[in-house]
Each structure stands twice: as structure tokens, then as C-alpha cells.
Amino acid sequence: MEPKPIDWEKLASIIETHRTRKWNLIPLLQEVQETFGYIPPESMEPIAEALNMSPAEVQGVVTFYAGFSLKPKGKCVLKVCRGTACHVKGSRSILRFVQNELGLQEGETSEDYQFTLETVACLGACFLAPTMMVNKNYFGRLNPTKVSSVLNQYGKSKEDDGSP
Ligand code: FES
């Protein structure tokens, strides 16, 4: 399946609100990322032009910050914590379970753009270890049953269980 096509009108209106102010680059990129789920590479040129910068400068900022992505992500971005506290409480088996359930490795997005799987160093909720986030929601004290129900809640259909 193809990622959702870019809504050029929406992009243009985001750019317009930040036009000509170089220091607006980060907030502009954040808004584009929030709206589209990533920074479409095609948006780099119009953004650079609006802020009187070169596309290379914009690209430099996008690639510098880990929070920006140049690739479309799934509707649900899963971040499984692999920090020390979570590691001690079994985060490795949680990650393996999620990988098996979704058929994804770290950094991959499902073909239907429903899920993207990522790992992070610490979600700042160590007392809930092992933890993961789906979009902006935290889930803690995870075990396979709990992970399964979270995935179902976010639209993993029963047929997606990897069986032929
Ligand atoms: S180590 Fe996992 S939330 Fe801190």
C-alpha cells in the first residue's frame, strides 16, 4: 500500500504561517511532522524558499534531530523502552513479542501504515517497567497478554497473527 498522498494545500498553509522567519524552522518542521507524521522530502524546497534558506540547510536540521523523520510512519508509532530499568524487568522479551506479533523489526513500518516499531533509551516512567508508548500514551508493567490487548486496541486485526 502507498503512504497517504501529501496534502499540498495543508503544507502550503503551514509554511505560510512561518514564512520569512528563519528561527521558525524548528516549529515549522514540528508542525509538518505532526500533521503528516513525517517530513515529506518534497517539502524541503518550499520550506527553504519560504525561510530564505537553502534546502541543504533545512535537510541538515531535519537529519540532525532524531525527532524528525523523512520516511512516512504508521498511524500508531510504538516505542518499546530498552532502558536499564525496563531491561531488568524483561523488556527484551516484550520487544521480541511485539516484533513477532507485528512481523516488524525496529525502525520498520507495516505495509498498511498502521504500525511503526521503534525502541527508545528510556521513556521516563521506569517505575512502570517494562514500558512502551503508542503515540502519546504510556503502557507499563507489560506482559505478553497486556501487549496483545494494547495491539488489538490500536487496530491489529486478529488475522494479522502471521499465520498463513
Ligand atoms: S528504563 Fe524504561 S522507562 Fe526508564
Side-chain angles (χ1 to χ4, degrees):
M1 199 187 283
E2 289 290 307
K4 241 171 63 194
I6 301 163
D7 182 341
W8 289 102
E9 245 173 67
K10 201 178 261 177
L11 179 65
S13 93
I14 294 171
I15 291 174
E16 202 47 47
T17 57
H18 297 274
R19 179 174 280 283
T20 68
R21 285 162 293 183
K22 244 188 191 179
W23 58 87
N24 269 354
L25 178 61
I26 302 273
L28 193 163
L29 290 173
Q30 280 168 335
E31 201 175 332
V32 172
Q33 167 96 25
E34 221 159 86
T35 306
F36 298 99
Y38 72 117
I39 312 285
E42 306 91 317
S43 69
M44 231 75 85
E45 233 179 274
I47 288 174
E49 203 195 312
L51 299 186
N52 294 316
M53 300 172 77
S54 71
E57 283 177 291
V58 176
Q59 170 137 19
V61 172
V62 172
T63 48
F64 181 78
Y65 291 99
F68 295 131
S69 167
L70 284 166
K71 280 202 300 198
K73 292 192 183 187
K75 233 167 87 188
C76 307
V77 178
L78 269 84
K79 293 182 185 265
V80 178
C81 181
R82 7 177 28 161
T84 309
C86 287
H87 179 78
V88 169
K89 296 272 187 170
S91 63
R92 196 191 293 202
S93 64
I94 294 296
L95 177 61
R96 214 172 302 129
F97 184 80
V98 174
Q99 287 171 328
N100 283 339
E101 284 290 293
L102 298 180
L104 296 175
Q105 295 302 312
E106 290 172 60
E108 288 183 348
T109 296
S110 59
E111 274 180 18
D112 61 359
Y113 286 92
Q114 182 65 17
F115 293 105
T116 293
L117 177 59
E118 297 177 348
T119 57
V120 287
C122 176
L123 287 174
C126 310
F127 61 101
L128 289 175
T131 63
M132 73 175 186
M133 266 182 107
V134 184
N135 298 336
K136 290 181 177 163
N137 300 315
Y138 284 89
F139 297 92
R141 301 203 175 96
L142 296 171
N143 56 43
T145 314
K146 206 159 169 187
V147 171
S148 234
S149 97
V150 171
L151 295 180
N152 289 336
Q153 183 185 331
Y154 282 92
K156 180 187 174 289
S157 60
K158 303 263 187 254
E159 308 86 66
D160 289 345
D161 62 1
S163 46

